Amino acid sequence: MFRLDDKVAVVTGGYRGIGRVLCVELARAGAHVVAVDVLEPPIGEQMLADVRAAGGSAELLPCDVTDHEAIGDAFHALYKRLGRLDILINNAGIARDQVLLRVSPEDLHKTLAVNVGGAVFCSKAAIRPMSRAKTGRIINMASVVAETGNPGQAAYAASKAALIGLTKTLAREYASRGVTVNAVGPGFIDTDMTRMLPEDAKQLMLQQIPLGRVGQPHDVAAAVVFLCSDEASYITGQVLRVNGGMYM
Ligand code: NDP
């Protein structure tokens, strides 16, 4: 399997959902994981227990990715203490679903602030250590809806499409520094976010998945671990779709 021994990996939105599994799998591959989240630390403790059970190491960093100053300070302190910052997974994301006529300025601004602003400023805070080390990995958690669109998700789909533009831009800006930047595009993944959908919406979604099943957070984590590995060093500016064939 792909190894990440001695690397330091920061995962935003790492306490639950896909992020929690990302933390466990990155740690299982050998990285020391720092999980950034707005949730109360006890929720993060459950993730830490999973990491320990997998024989890995991780810590919690309670912080809001929209607080650019706090993120800058926290990443700086982290780098000073640990001496490296190799991997950043911009996974924190929110969805405030509304049809266009109901999209409020607050919902739009909040969605863009977390999903896009968070990724921009976390990347900004991580890029110096990576550039200095002439190696690094940034992975942005996009979504299938960035490329297909989805009724009722104007703000969310726009934010995820923006992440793909950000990915390609940063890939070009930092390729000469040895930093690769890629996006992962999950389809319909079994988490709290999707469990809340009504049964008929879930069935409709399932019919659009050629592989005939909902994805699991582990499916996404496997793609992320690969993109973080040395074996993926010639891959940059790409969207790796993990969607069971929902969009090709
Ligand atoms: P969850 O809502 O389960 O987890 C997201 C995590 O990010 C939560 O812990 C959340 O905390 C945290 N978070 C939210 N806002 C902030 C913030 N401002 N600063 C720091 N952390 C924050 O989502 P999923 O695990 O389902 O999704 C993870 C990523 O994958 C998201 O970017 C999502 O858009 C994307 N994705 C998910 C799909 C799916 O089917 N589940 C499909 C395609 C993409 P809190 O609970 O307090 O909000």
Side-chain angles (χ1 to χ4, degrees), residues 2-163:
F2 304 108
R3 295 300 307 169
L4 304 173
D5 297 302
D6 303 324
K7 310 264 188 216
V8 171
V10 175
V11 179
T12 70
Y15 290 10
R16 68 184 186 98
I18 294 172
R20 175 173 170 171
V21 178
L22 294 180
C23 290
V24 176
E25 294 310 318
L26 290 164
R28 196 194 303 279
H32 173 69
V33 174
V34 181
V36 176
D37 210 300
V38 277
L39 287 170
E40 293 300 318
I43 299 173
E45 293 292 338
Q46 297 165 17
M47 178 276 291
L48 290 183
D50 291 350
V51 167
R52 277 194 293 272
S57 81
E59 62 183 281
L60 306 182
L61 175 49
C63 199
D64 186 329
V65 296
T66 65
D67 187 341
H68 308 150
E69 224 173 277
I71 284 289
D73 291 348
F75 279 39
H76 183 68
L78 197 69
Y79 178 59
K80 256 179 88 178
R81 178 163 57 87
L82 299 176
R84 55 193 305 157
L85 202 174
D86 307 279
I87 295 166
L88 168 66
I89 317 293
N90 287 312
N91 165 76
I94 60 165
R96 294 194 168 174
D97 298 346
Q98 290 290 358
V99 289
L100 179 65
L101 291 178
R102 294 211 178 126
V103 175
S104 69
E106 293 74 23
D107 284 346
L108 177 64
H109 292 154
K110 182 73 184 172
T111 305
L112 293 176
V114 176
N115 298 5
V116 185
V120 169
F121 288 99
C122 287
S123 300
K124 196 172 164 185
I127 203 69
R128 274 213 182 88
M130 291 181 183
S131 294
R132 208 169 291 145
K134 292 203 166 55
T135 179
R137 297 278 187 270
I138 297 177
I139 296 176
N140 295 318
M141 203 54 72
S143 167
V144 66
V145 304
E147 299 182 287
T148 61
N150 198 25
Q153 292 201 303
Y156 180 74
S159 74
K160 293 298 180 179
L163 276 182

